[in-house]
Amino acid sequence: MKIDIIIVYIQRYQKGHELHFVPPLTGIHLAALTPAKHQVRVIHQQVEPVNLDTDADVVVLSFFSGFAPEAYRLAKAYRQRGKMTIAGGPHVTFAPEEALRFVDAVVIGEGESVWAQIFEDIEQNQLQLRYVGESLPLTEIPTPRYDLLPSKYMVRRVVQATRGCPFSCSFCTVPMLNPGFRTRPIEAVLNDIRYNDFPHWWQRKLVWFWDDNLTANRPYIKELLRQMIPLKKWWLTQASMDITQDEELLDLMRDSGCIGVFFGIESFGTESLIDAGKRQNKVAEYQSKIKKLHDRGIGVMAGFISGLDGDTPDSIRDTANQLEEIGVDVPFLSVLTPFKGTRAYAKMEDQGRLIPGLGWEFYNGYNVAFQPAKMMPQELLNAHRELWRLAFSITMVVRRLFRSLFTLRLGAFMLCGIMNLFYSLKVLRHNEPICFNGTDNYATIRDTIAGPI
Ligand code: B12
Ligand code: SF4
């Protein structure tokens, strides 16, 4: 059987990306799970065109909520051409009945337990409508099919060592998607890290962990890092700020080549942190915690969310200076998005705050799909864009790069430099930094809502 796995995408910027950093893991992981008798292709719509006239027998669609409209458009087109279509991923898991209007079968939850079964069922002409994936122990996860990645991605080695997260933030689907906290055998993770068949030195050098919260199980992560030391890699991950209380872990991170950690800082406002359910974040400690990583030459990437219940247009704009003061090396700036399956979604639905009539393309982390507590949706959008321009203004970027020249190790400095320049170029090139194929017109939305609550 010929299988096309499509990782669906909608361009975030009208002029597209200048560089593509890191690929998704999903497609090359599902390809690695595919029984050898089938022929599999992985298409990343972010960097390559999708061929509607493919010779594949089955088309698999994986997508986030914000890309659902494009996934359904593709599904319709494939169905018209007589192709069988299967959908899964974080959106389908929480909206399976919606997806079933467009595809032949859906997978709810993790794919491992049902993946091979689906193709057997197709061969027997017994495809079911719904498959419910179990969250199995991660003992049998194969090395991803790195060989199937398109060459446009700068980084190649994406690895997952663990699944799940012990926290439960109000806007996040992880605790439902990947319940519990599971770890892969260390030897299997090291095998992925030893895979070196990449053309460029930086691709052989870099390991990008796509874990939800890699450091949650301390004995596990410490053992993994001890064994990574001789491999002499540079690596990055997401983690929660509480790691800064564990000096032994921080030292091991430095010694094993950590160059960057992503923290979900989310906000400087106490009310907003409560709204986010981010009990682990303490505003007064941000700066000293970041310093602990800088003391070891490790860069800090940090996510901030605009639109939490304590936010106002002024507090959002102030974030640009505040994140600078605490020493963030690369900020990631999002608008609160109430994804299905989260407490944020349940609350907004309950309070009648979801803006009616908006497609899923608004649920992408960069548009406003709900009525904020203390401002109008358009004010939130404007403040967020202003924050983006301020945070990646030439002055801010130069200041950040100058500081990181003296605080960060080489790999971390290179990474922070590239990312800051990338985003400041976006601000310069696009002026309106975040556009969505014309969907960001709020004139009509303003008429449909009552006003701030
Ligand atoms: C790594 C990661 C990223 C990376 C890589 C993105 C990418 N395209 O893969 C980065 C940092 C770039 C990223 C960015 C974003 N992310 Co992200 N990310 C993740 C994370 C932590 C892990 C995903 C992963 O690789 N898992 C490992 C792979 C192997 O598994 P998987 O993708 O979950 O797929 C499994 C199942 O879903 C299933 N499956 C998936 N598809 C299909 C299809 C079929 C047919 C089948 C059978 C099975 C199947 O089988 C797989 C194996 O079990 C998840 C959290 C999570 N636990 O899922 C969030 C998550 C996917 N991200 C999320 C979001 C919102 C974003 C952003 C929009 C955030 C932002 N504000 O910008 C951006 C958008 C990026 C983009 N593409 O434009 C949300 C999506 C929620 C939703 N409903 O859409 C998640 C779930 C986190 C959350 N907040 O709840 N992200
Ligand atoms: S700490 Fe991160 S992964 Fe864990 S629940 Fe919160 S946002 Fe999700």
Side-chain angles (χ1 to χ4, degrees):
M1 196 182 302
K2 287 186 179 165
I3 304 164
D4 279 1
I5 302 174
I6 304 180
I7 307 301
V8 180
Y9 192 77
I10 297 178
Q11 280 302 336
R12 186 169 285 184
Y13 302 92
Q14 270 168 356
K15 293 177 189 156
H17 274 318
E18 293 78 15
L19 280 178
H20 296 280
F21 285 114
V22 199
L25 176 57
T26 315
I28 54 174
H29 169 63
L30 293 175
L33 292 175
T34 310
K37 64 177 175 175
H38 303 302
Q39 232 177 296
V40 64
R41 267 183 303 234
V42 185
I43 298 105
H44 292 87
Q45 199 178 12
Q46 185 183 12
V47 296
E48 56 195 336
V50 167
N51 177 12
L52 292 179
D53 297 311
T54 174
D55 61 352
D57 306 292
V58 183
V59 177
V60 166
L61 299 159
S62 177
F63 51 94
F64 295 0
S65 295
F67 308 142
E70 173 63 4
Y72 298 153
R73 184 190 72 82
L74 291 175
K76 268 187 183 169
Y78 282 120
R79 268 187 156 179
Q80 279 165 2
R81 289 162 173 77
K83 305 291 174 192
M84 194 167 273
T85 50
I86 322 278
H91 183 73
V92 173
T93 294
F94 298 108
E97 301 310 315
E98 170 193 285
L100 274 173
R101 300 197 337 246
F102 304 93
V103 297
D104 299 305
V106 293
V107 178
I108 298 161
E110 297 181 23
E112 288 77 10
S113 64
V114 295
W115 184 252
Q117 184 66 46
I118 292 171
F119 301 109
E120 259 177 53
D121 288 355
I122 292 174
E123 281 177 333
Q124 309 289 325
N125 216 5
Q126 286 181 346
L127 182 70
Q128 299 164 37
L129 277 181
R130 294 171 200 80
Y131 291 83
V132 180
E134 275 177 73
S135 295
L136 299 174
L138 304 181
T139 42
E140 306 294 332
I141 303 286
T143 294
R145 289 287 307 273
Y146 296 120
D147 58 307
L148 297 180
L149 280 173
S151 58
K152 279 199 178 162
Y153 286 113
M154 278 177 71
V155 176
R156 294 298 182 84
R157 196 192 290 99
V158 281
V159 175
Q160 191 182 38
T162 68
R163 264 186 211 170
C165 173
F167 297 105
S168 174
C169 304
S170 64
F171 55 85
C172 181
T173 60
V174 167
M176 305 279 281
L177 276 177
N178 301 125
F181 187 81
R182 287 161 289 150
T183 57
R184 282 175 75 197
I186 286 178
E187 197 44 41
V189 180
L190 293 173
N191 271 343
D192 295 1
I193 296 175
R194 287 191 200 106
Y195 182 102
N196 259 338
D197 196 6
F198 302 117
H200 300 293
W201 71 266
W202 65 85
Q203 294 168 338
R204 295 189 288 274
K205 187 80 178 164
L206 277 171
V207 182
W208 207 302
F209 285 101
W210 269 161
D211 291 45
D212 304 313
N213 190 345
L214 175 70
T215 53
N217 176 331
R218 293 295 151 72
Y220 174 83
I221 184 63
K222 287 180 184 174
E223 187 48 34
L224 173 62
L225 297 185
R226 273 184 209 107
Q227 298 204 34
M228 277 175 64
I229 293 172
L231 302 181
K232 297 194 181 345
K233 300 291 184 193
W234 284 342
W235 64 271
L236 302 105
T237 191
Q238 298 196 137
S240 42
M241 294 191 94
D242 57 334
I243 58 166
T244 51
Q245 284 144 11
D246 190 334
E247 300 283 339
E248 185 195 6
L249 173 61
L250 294 178
D251 288 344
L252 275 169
M253 286 169 69
R254 175 198 58 211
D255 298 343
S256 55
C258 181
I259 58 168
V261 173
F262 178 94
F263 286 144
I265 291 183
E266 323 305 5
S267 179
F268 290 93
T270 313
E271 190 186 341
S272 288
L273 284 171
I274 292 170
D275 183 32
K278 212 86 198 188
R279 60 189 152 84
Q280 65 272 35
N281 288 7
K282 307 275 181 281
V283 182
E285 297 171 359
Y286 289 167
Q287 191 167 10
S288 58
K289 290 191 164 174
I290 290 177
K291 186 172 178 304
K292 286 197 178 193
L293 287 145
H294 284 169
D295 287 346
R296 289 160 175 92
I298 299 171
V300 175
M301 304 171 278
F304 296 90
I305 296 179
S306 302
L308 291 159
D309 272 0
D311 294 357
T312 61
D314 284 342
S315 74
I316 292 171
R317 280 188 283 266
D318 287 348
T319 306
N321 285 323
Q322 289 167 309
L323 67 89
E324 186 55 26
E325 278 158 24
I326 61 168
V328 169
D329 298 298
V330 190
F332 289 88
L333 310 167
S334 310
V335 173
L336 176 66
T337 303
F339 289 111
K340 269 191 155 206
T342 62
R343 292 204 307 284
Y345 184 89
K347 181 178 96 174
M348 300 286 179
E349 197 181 33
D350 236 40
Q351 300 179 352
R353 289 169 62 186
L354 295 171
I355 298 175
L358 294 188
W360 289 120
E361 65 273 25
F362 281 84
Y363 288 71
N364 51 17
Y366 294 89
N367 275 307
V368 183
F370 66 99
Q371 170 61 58
K374 295 185 176 170
M375 57 198 141
M376 299 292 279
Q378 184 71 45
E379 288 177 302
L380 168 54
L381 190 75
N382 291 347
H384 177 256
R385 291 184 173 187
E386 187 60 25
L387 166 62
W388 183 279
R389 290 192 197 94
L390 291 168
F392 291 105
S393 63
I394 303 282
T395 327
M396 285 281 191
V397 166
V398 169
R399 210 185 294 168
R400 227 174 266 143
L401 291 187
F402 191 71
R403 185 194 55 227
S404 55
L405 185 62
F406 298 101
T407 45
L408 302 186
R409 61 207 307 188
L410 178 66
F413 173 70
M414 285 165 65
L415 178 97
C416 294
I418 292 173
M419 286 189 163
N420 273 293
L421 293 173
F422 172 82
Y423 286 117
S424 72
L425 181 66
K426 283 256 173 277
V427 170
L428 283 176
R429 241 189 115 200
H430 292 260
N431 187 35
E432 275 293 286
I434 310 147
C435 345
F436 281 98
N437 301 336
T439 58
D440 55 340
N441 178 353
Y442 284 78
T444 48
I445 302 167
R446 242 175 293 147
D447 300 336
T448 65
I449 46 175
I453 56 168

mmCIF file of all heavy atoms in Angstrom, residues 52-84:
data_model
loop_
_atom_site.group_PDB
_atom_site.id
_atom_site.type_symbol
_atom_site.label_atom_id
_atom_site.label_comp_id
_atom_site.label_asym_id
_atom_site.label_seq_id
_atom_site.Cartn_x
_atom_site.Cartn_y
_atom_site.Cartn_z
ATOM 1 N N LEU A 52 -2.146 16.850 -4.904
ATOM 2 C CA LEU A 52 -3.499 16.295 -4.813
ATOM 3 C C LEU A 52 -3.653 15.090 -5.737
ATOM 4 O O LEU A 52 -4.507 14.238 -5.530
ATOM 5 C CB LEU A 52 -4.531 17.358 -5.168
ATOM 6 C CG LEU A 52 -4.669 18.521 -4.177
ATOM 7 C CD1 LEU A 52 -5.713 19.521 -4.662
ATOM 8 C CD2 LEU A 52 -5.041 18.031 -2.784
ATOM 9 N N ASP A 53 -2.791 15.030 -6.779
ATOM 10 C CA ASP A 53 -2.903 13.912 -7.719
ATOM 11 C C ASP A 53 -1.877 12.820 -7.407
ATOM 12 O O ASP A 53 -1.277 12.232 -8.304
ATOM 13 C CB ASP A 53 -2.738 14.442 -9.150
ATOM 14 C CG ASP A 53 -3.859 15.421 -9.472
ATOM 15 O OD1 ASP A 53 -5.023 15.063 -9.216
ATOM 16 O OD2 ASP A 53 -3.572 16.546 -9.924
ATOM 17 N N THR A 54 -1.688 12.590 -6.131
ATOM 18 C CA THR A 54 -0.744 11.573 -5.676
ATOM 19 C C THR A 54 -1.179 10.169 -6.129
ATOM 20 O O THR A 54 -2.370 9.936 -6.345
ATOM 21 C CB THR A 54 -0.661 11.599 -4.137
ATOM 22 O OG1 THR A 54 0.141 10.532 -3.696
ATOM 23 C CG2 THR A 54 -2.033 11.475 -3.491
ATOM 24 N N ASP A 55 -0.194 9.257 -6.203
ATOM 25 C CA ASP A 55 -0.562 7.867 -6.520
ATOM 26 C C ASP A 55 -0.775 7.050 -5.241
ATOM 27 O O ASP A 55 -0.909 5.828 -5.285
ATOM 28 C CB ASP A 55 0.526 7.218 -7.398
ATOM 29 C CG ASP A 55 1.876 7.176 -6.686
ATOM 30 O OD1 ASP A 55 2.002 7.773 -5.582
ATOM 31 O OD2 ASP A 55 2.811 6.536 -7.212
ATOM 32 N N ALA A 56 -0.813 7.728 -4.072
ATOM 33 C CA ALA A 56 -1.003 7.009 -2.803
ATOM 34 C C ALA A 56 -2.404 6.393 -2.733
ATOM 35 O O ALA A 56 -3.349 6.906 -3.327
ATOM 36 C CB ALA A 56 -0.802 7.966 -1.647
ATOM 37 N N ASP A 57 -2.504 5.284 -1.982
ATOM 38 C CA ASP A 57 -3.817 4.668 -1.761
ATOM 39 C C ASP A 57 -4.521 5.316 -0.574
ATOM 40 O O ASP A 57 -5.741 5.410 -0.530
ATOM 41 C CB ASP A 57 -3.644 3.168 -1.459
ATOM 42 C CG ASP A 57 -2.835 2.491 -2.541
ATOM 43 O OD1 ASP A 57 -3.348 2.395 -3.659
ATOM 44 O OD2 ASP A 57 -1.662 2.103 -2.281
ATOM 45 N N VAL A 58 -3.700 5.714 0.413
ATOM 46 C CA VAL A 58 -4.253 6.276 1.640
ATOM 47 C C VAL A 58 -3.551 7.590 1.949
ATOM 48 O O VAL A 58 -2.323 7.672 1.838
ATOM 49 C CB VAL A 58 -4.021 5.316 2.835
ATOM 50 C CG1 VAL A 58 -4.660 5.872 4.100
ATOM 51 C CG2 VAL A 58 -4.539 3.940 2.535
ATOM 52 N N VAL A 59 -4.322 8.581 2.342
ATOM 53 C CA VAL A 59 -3.728 9.859 2.744
ATOM 54 C C VAL A 59 -4.015 10.074 4.232
ATOM 55 O O VAL A 59 -5.178 10.057 4.654
ATOM 56 C CB VAL A 59 -4.278 11.031 1.915
ATOM 57 C CG1 VAL A 59 -3.688 12.351 2.407
ATOM 58 C CG2 VAL A 59 -3.970 10.829 0.443
ATOM 59 N N VAL A 60 -2.939 10.264 4.999
ATOM 60 C CA VAL A 60 -3.052 10.477 6.438
ATOM 61 C C VAL A 60 -2.853 11.970 6.707
ATOM 62 O O VAL A 60 -1.890 12.554 6.207
ATOM 63 C CB VAL A 60 -1.961 9.655 7.169
ATOM 64 C CG1 VAL A 60 -1.822 10.095 8.611
ATOM 65 C CG2 VAL A 60 -2.269 8.163 7.078
ATOM 66 N N LEU A 61 -3.755 12.565 7.471
ATOM 67 C CA LEU A 61 -3.638 13.999 7.751
ATOM 68 C C LEU A 61 -3.440 14.210 9.250
ATOM 69 O O LEU A 61 -4.234 13.719 10.055
ATOM 70 C CB LEU A 61 -4.907 14.718 7.297
ATOM 71 C CG LEU A 61 -5.216 14.623 5.791
ATOM 72 C CD1 LEU A 61 -6.683 14.895 5.524
ATOM 73 C CD2 LEU A 61 -4.334 15.578 4.996
ATOM 74 N N SER A 62 -2.387 14.932 9.609
ATOM 75 C CA SER A 62 -2.136 15.247 11.011
ATOM 76 C C SER A 62 -2.104 16.761 11.131
ATOM 77 O O SER A 62 -1.441 17.433 10.345
ATOM 78 C CB SER A 62 -0.797 14.656 11.453
ATOM 79 O OG SER A 62 -0.528 15.032 12.791
ATOM 80 N N PHE A 63 -2.822 17.284 12.116
ATOM 81 C CA PHE A 63 -2.886 18.750 12.178
ATOM 82 C C PHE A 63 -3.282 19.265 13.548
ATOM 83 O O PHE A 63 -3.921 18.584 14.341
ATOM 84 C CB PHE A 63 -3.859 19.298 11.115
ATOM 85 C CG PHE A 63 -5.220 18.659 11.116
ATOM 86 C CD1 PHE A 63 -6.271 19.215 11.814
ATOM 87 C CD2 PHE A 63 -5.455 17.477 10.403
ATOM 88 C CE1 PHE A 63 -7.528 18.628 11.808
ATOM 89 C CE2 PHE A 63 -6.709 16.882 10.403
ATOM 90 C CZ PHE A 63 -7.752 17.449 11.111
ATOM 91 N N PHE A 64 -2.847 20.520 13.798
ATOM 92 C CA PHE A 64 -3.247 21.278 14.969
ATOM 93 C C PHE A 64 -4.589 21.965 14.647
ATOM 94 O O PHE A 64 -4.966 22.070 13.480
ATOM 95 C CB PHE A 64 -2.228 22.389 15.280
ATOM 96 C CG PHE A 64 -0.860 21.924 15.672
ATOM 97 C CD1 PHE A 64 -0.530 20.583 15.754
ATOM 98 C CD2 PHE A 64 0.131 22.858 15.988
ATOM 99 C CE1 PHE A 64 0.736 20.168 16.127
ATOM 100 C CE2 PHE A 64 1.400 22.461 16.364
ATOM 101 C CZ PHE A 64 1.706 21.120 16.433
ATOM 102 N N SER A 65 -5.231 22.522 15.667
ATOM 103 C CA SER A 65 -6.546 23.155 15.454
ATOM 104 C C SER A 65 -6.493 24.252 14.393
ATOM 105 O O SER A 65 -7.357 24.335 13.523
ATOM 106 C CB SER A 65 -7.065 23.753 16.759
ATOM 107 O OG SER A 65 -7.309 22.717 17.674
ATOM 108 N N GLY A 66 -5.476 25.102 14.462
ATOM 109 C CA GLY A 66 -5.402 26.248 13.550
ATOM 110 C C GLY A 66 -5.309 25.841 12.085
ATOM 111 O O GLY A 66 -5.593 26.648 11.193
ATOM 112 N N PHE A 67 -4.906 24.604 11.833
ATOM 113 C CA PHE A 67 -4.735 24.140 10.450
ATOM 114 C C PHE A 67 -5.907 23.272 9.987
ATOM 115 O O PHE A 67 -5.907 22.766 8.857
ATOM 116 C CB PHE A 67 -3.423 23.355 10.305
ATOM 117 C CG PHE A 67 -2.216 24.098 10.835
ATOM 118 C CD1 PHE A 67 -1.193 23.437 11.506
ATOM 119 C CD2 PHE A 67 -2.097 25.471 10.654
ATOM 120 C CE1 PHE A 67 -0.083 24.131 11.997
ATOM 121 C CE2 PHE A 67 -0.997 26.177 11.138
ATOM 122 C CZ PHE A 67 0.010 25.502 11.806
ATOM 123 N N ALA A 68 -6.914 23.097 10.857
ATOM 124 C CA ALA A 68 -8.030 22.202 10.528
ATOM 125 C C ALA A 68 -8.741 22.595 9.218
ATOM 126 O O ALA A 68 -9.048 21.717 8.407
ATOM 127 C CB ALA A 68 -9.018 22.141 11.686
ATOM 128 N N PRO A 69 -9.000 23.894 8.966
ATOM 129 C CA PRO A 69 -9.690 24.219 7.717
ATOM 130 C C PRO A 69 -8.924 23.738 6.483
ATOM 131 O O PRO A 69 -9.523 23.257 5.514
ATOM 132 C CB PRO A 69 -9.768 25.757 7.735
ATOM 133 C CG PRO A 69 -9.655 26.122 9.179
ATOM 134 C CD PRO A 69 -8.764 25.087 9.795
ATOM 135 N N GLU A 70 -7.599 23.858 6.529
ATOM 136 C CA GLU A 70 -6.794 23.397 5.400
ATOM 137 C C GLU A 70 -6.837 21.867 5.314
ATOM 138 O O GLU A 70 -6.928 21.290 4.225
ATOM 139 C CB GLU A 70 -5.344 23.900 5.565
ATOM 140 C CG GLU A 70 -4.344 23.369 4.556
ATOM 141 C CD GLU A 70 -4.640 23.782 3.107
ATOM 142 O OE1 GLU A 70 -5.591 24.548 2.868
ATOM 143 O OE2 GLU A 70 -3.902 23.303 2.219
ATOM 144 N N ALA A 71 -6.800 21.204 6.455
ATOM 145 C CA ALA A 71 -6.844 19.734 6.464
ATOM 146 C C ALA A 71 -8.158 19.255 5.840
ATOM 147 O O ALA A 71 -8.176 18.318 5.037
ATOM 148 C CB ALA A 71 -6.726 19.216 7.891
ATOM 149 N N TYR A 72 -9.252 19.932 6.170
ATOM 150 C CA TYR A 72 -10.553 19.506 5.648
ATOM 151 C C TYR A 72 -10.654 19.813 4.146
ATOM 152 O O TYR A 72 -11.260 19.055 3.392
ATOM 153 C CB TYR A 72 -11.686 20.178 6.432
ATOM 154 C CG TYR A 72 -11.691 19.806 7.911
ATOM 155 C CD1 TYR A 72 -12.209 20.657 8.880
ATOM 156 C CD2 TYR A 72 -11.170 18.580 8.335
ATOM 157 C CE1 TYR A 72 -12.213 20.311 10.231
ATOM 158 C CE2 TYR A 72 -11.167 18.228 9.685
ATOM 159 C CZ TYR A 72 -11.681 19.104 10.626
ATOM 160 O OH TYR A 72 -11.674 18.760 11.956
ATOM 161 N N ARG A 73 -10.042 20.914 3.743
ATOM 162 C CA ARG A 73 -10.028 21.225 2.302
ATOM 163 C C ARG A 73 -9.293 20.116 1.548
ATOM 164 O O ARG A 73 -9.759 19.606 0.530
ATOM 165 C CB ARG A 73 -9.336 22.578 2.067
ATOM 166 C CG ARG A 73 -9.349 23.047 0.620
ATOM 167 C CD ARG A 73 -8.457 24.255 0.393
ATOM 168 N NE ARG A 73 -7.028 23.966 0.443
ATOM 169 C CZ ARG A 73 -6.310 23.481 -0.563
ATOM 170 N NH1 ARG A 73 -6.901 23.220 -1.715
ATOM 171 N NH2 ARG A 73 -5.006 23.252 -0.422
ATOM 172 N N LEU A 74 -8.142 19.718 2.093
ATOM 173 C CA LEU A 74 -7.363 18.656 1.448
ATOM 174 C C LEU A 74 -8.151 17.345 1.442
ATOM 175 O O LEU A 74 -8.198 16.640 0.434
ATOM 176 C CB LEU A 74 -6.032 18.439 2.189
ATOM 177 C CG LEU A 74 -4.994 19.564 2.080
ATOM 178 C CD1 LEU A 74 -3.783 19.267 2.973
ATOM 179 C CD2 LEU A 74 -4.533 19.740 0.630
ATOM 180 N N ALA A 75 -8.781 17.042 2.591
ATOM 181 C CA ALA A 75 -9.518 15.778 2.694
ATOM 182 C C ALA A 75 -10.615 15.709 1.621
ATOM 183 O O ALA A 75 -10.792 14.682 0.958
ATOM 184 C CB ALA A 75 -10.122 15.648 4.085
ATOM 185 N N LYS A 76 -11.316 16.829 1.443
ATOM 186 C CA LYS A 76 -12.382 16.857 0.425
ATOM 187 C C LYS A 76 -11.810 16.586 -0.960
ATOM 188 O O LYS A 76 -12.350 15.802 -1.735
ATOM 189 C CB LYS A 76 -13.020 18.256 0.409
ATOM 190 C CG LYS A 76 -14.215 18.414 1.310
ATOM 191 C CD LYS A 76 -14.783 19.796 1.011
ATOM 192 C CE LYS A 76 -15.943 20.161 1.870
ATOM 193 N NZ LYS A 76 -16.277 21.580 1.735
ATOM 194 N N ALA A 77 -10.670 17.268 -1.242
ATOM 195 C CA ALA A 77 -10.058 17.126 -2.567
ATOM 196 C C ALA A 77 -9.596 15.684 -2.793
ATOM 197 O O ALA A 77 -9.758 15.132 -3.888
ATOM 198 C CB ALA A 77 -8.887 18.097 -2.703
ATOM 199 N N TYR A 78 -9.035 15.057 -1.777
ATOM 200 C CA TYR A 78 -8.580 13.671 -1.936
ATOM 201 C C TYR A 78 -9.763 12.721 -2.105
ATOM 202 O O TYR A 78 -9.702 11.777 -2.876
ATOM 203 C CB TYR A 78 -7.718 13.251 -0.740
ATOM 204 C CG TYR A 78 -6.315 13.811 -0.824
ATOM 205 C CD1 TYR A 78 -5.806 14.655 0.152
ATOM 206 C CD2 TYR A 78 -5.495 13.498 -1.914
ATOM 207 C CE1 TYR A 78 -4.531 15.178 0.056
ATOM 208 C CE2 TYR A 78 -4.222 14.016 -2.019
ATOM 209 C CZ TYR A 78 -3.743 14.859 -1.027
ATOM 210 O OH TYR A 78 -2.485 15.370 -1.143
ATOM 211 N N ARG A 79 -10.797 12.974 -1.339
ATOM 212 C CA ARG A 79 -11.982 12.110 -1.464
ATOM 213 C C ARG A 79 -12.563 12.186 -2.866
ATOM 214 O O ARG A 79 -12.957 11.163 -3.430
ATOM 215 C CB ARG A 79 -13.039 12.546 -0.464
ATOM 216 C CG ARG A 79 -12.916 11.809 0.832
ATOM 217 C CD ARG A 79 -14.076 12.175 1.690
ATOM 218 N NE ARG A 79 -14.365 11.160 2.664
ATOM 219 C CZ ARG A 79 -15.340 11.266 3.548
ATOM 220 N NH1 ARG A 79 -16.109 12.317 3.550
ATOM 221 N NH2 ARG A 79 -15.543 10.308 4.413
ATOM 222 N N GLN A 80 -12.596 13.410 -3.417
ATOM 223 C CA GLN A 80 -13.115 13.558 -4.786
ATOM 224 C C GLN A 80 -12.283 12.745 -5.768
ATOM 225 O O GLN A 80 -12.753 12.327 -6.806
ATOM 226 C CB GLN A 80 -13.066 15.026 -5.213
ATOM 227 C CG GLN A 80 -14.236 15.838 -4.681
ATOM 228 C CD GLN A 80 -13.986 17.339 -4.806
ATOM 229 O OE1 GLN A 80 -12.960 17.772 -5.324
ATOM 230 N NE2 GLN A 80 -14.929 18.126 -4.316
ATOM 231 N N ARG A 81 -10.999 12.536 -5.423
ATOM 232 C CA ARG A 81 -10.116 11.767 -6.300
ATOM 233 C C ARG A 81 -10.089 10.284 -5.914
ATOM 234 O O ARG A 81 -9.203 9.549 -6.319
ATOM 235 C CB ARG A 81 -8.705 12.354 -6.251
ATOM 236 C CG ARG A 81 -8.615 13.706 -6.945
ATOM 237 C CD ARG A 81 -7.376 14.473 -6.525
ATOM 238 N NE ARG A 81 -7.189 15.688 -7.297
ATOM 239 C CZ ARG A 81 -7.877 16.827 -7.110
ATOM 240 N NH1 ARG A 81 -8.814 16.879 -6.184
ATOM 241 N NH2 ARG A 81 -7.631 17.877 -7.852
ATOM 242 N N GLY A 82 -10.998 9.900 -5.028
ATOM 243 C CA GLY A 82 -11.137 8.484 -4.685
ATOM 244 C C GLY A 82 -10.116 7.964 -3.690
ATOM 245 O O GLY A 82 -9.917 6.755 -3.554
ATOM 246 N N LYS A 83 -9.430 8.852 -2.983
ATOM 247 C CA LYS A 83 -8.432 8.404 -2.004
ATOM 248 C C LYS A 83 -9.085 8.178 -0.649
ATOM 249 O O LYS A 83 -10.016 8.884 -0.271
ATOM 250 C CB LYS A 83 -7.326 9.449 -1.830
ATOM 251 C CG LYS A 83 -6.639 9.865 -3.107
ATOM 252 C CD LYS A 83 -5.807 8.754 -3.676
ATOM 253 C CE LYS A 83 -5.242 9.145 -5.032
ATOM 254 N NZ LYS A 83 -4.671 7.996 -5.747
ATOM 255 N N MET A 84 -8.515 7.232 0.084
ATOM 256 C CA MET A 84 -8.977 7.010 1.449
ATOM 257 C C MET A 84 -8.254 7.997 2.359
ATOM 258 O O MET A 84 -7.045 8.194 2.216
ATOM 259 C CB MET A 84 -8.639 5.584 1.828
ATOM 260 C CG MET A 84 -9.334 5.131 3.053
ATOM 261 S SD MET A 84 -9.175 3.361 3.178
ATOM 262 C CE MET A 84 -10.558 2.816 2.217
#
